[in-house]
Amino acid sequence: KSISIYKRGLQVDPNHPILQYNLARSYVATNADLDAFKAFEAALRAKPSWKDAVKEYSALLNKYSRTKESCEVIQKAINLYPTDGHLYYLLGKSFLVQTDYESAVKSFEKAISLDKTNPSYYEKLIFAYEREKKYFLVSTYYFQHYNLLIIIL
């Protein structure tokens, strides 16, 4: 039902980023991923800096092993917002899917340098260090992650 509502709205304004984004999310919810790709792409053409759309579109790309495209989408957003730690986190997650642990580590380290308060950044960095067998760094960041969780809770 929501899909038909968004499609009607897009007949009035076919480039409306919010309608395209919500249509894409509706397609994902109904497993119509091919249609979701098109809607996310339209939303990001209209508003390339939309971080929520970048996040969900990159996750969809990763789901289909289109990781290089995912990295390109995220990198475009990073070029617009170079101080947004969450974008580097998303980039790191795409590198993890590619098993490019070195690049993932660099991305997560950058995310942490920009925002030291997000425990998810530490968690993924620890995971990447484990894959690289850098256990000393795993223990170092594990304690930082643990201390951050204590502060949050």
Side-chain angles (χ1 to χ4, degrees):
K1 186 174 182 176
S2 62
I3 290 173
S4 62
I5 293 170
Y6 296 129
K7 283 184 172 183
R8 275 191 306 239
L10 288 166
Q11 288 175 347
V12 175
D13 183 359
N15 296 316
H16 196 286
I18 295 171
L19 293 175
Q20 291 287 2
Y21 171 74
N22 286 330
L23 179 62
R25 294 185 71 212
S26 296
Y27 282 138
V28 168
T30 60
N31 295 316
D33 291 345
L34 293 178
D35 292 320
F37 280 117
K38 293 174 189 171
F40 276 128
E41 289 163 1
L44 287 169
R45 267 194 310 276
K47 190 174 180 185
S49 61
W50 193 350
K51 289 181 264 183
D52 289 337
V54 168
K55 175 183 175 181
E56 293 188 45
Y57 183 48
S58 68
L60 185 62
L61 289 166
N62 286 337
K63 177 181 175 183
Y64 287 91
S65 300
R66 293 170 59 180
T67 54
K68 290 185 182 184
E69 290 173 78
S70 175
C71 289
E72 289 171 8
V73 167
I74 297 165
Q75 192 59 58
K76 286 179 186 175
I78 286 173
N79 291 342
L80 294 169
Y81 296 100
T83 60
D84 186 324
H86 194 71
L87 292 172
Y88 289 94
Y89 169 75
L90 295 176
L91 185 61
K93 286 177 61 175
S94 287
F95 285 132
L96 285 180
V97 173
Q98 295 178 43
T99 65
D100 182 351
Y101 302 120
E102 183 179 342
S103 296
V105 162
K106 289 177 184 174
S107 295
F108 296 131
E109 287 175 340
K110 181 67 174 180
I112 289 169
S113 75
L114 295 168
D115 178 5
K116 294 177 179 30
T117 64
N118 192 319
S120 297
Y121 301 174
Y122 291 91
E123 182 181 328
K124 291 296 183 186
L125 177 61
I126 291 165
F127 179 84
Y129 276 140
E130 286 174 340
R131 296 302 174 268
E132 286 195 307
K133 299 182 181 357
K134 295 183 177 178
Y135 299 114
F136 175 75
L137 293 169
V138 167
S139 62
T140 300
Y141 280 98
Y142 174 79
F143 287 112
Q144 289 180 19
H145 178 251
Y146 178 77
N147 289 333
L148 185 58
L149 289 176
I150 289 175
I151 291 169
I152 292 171
L153 300 175

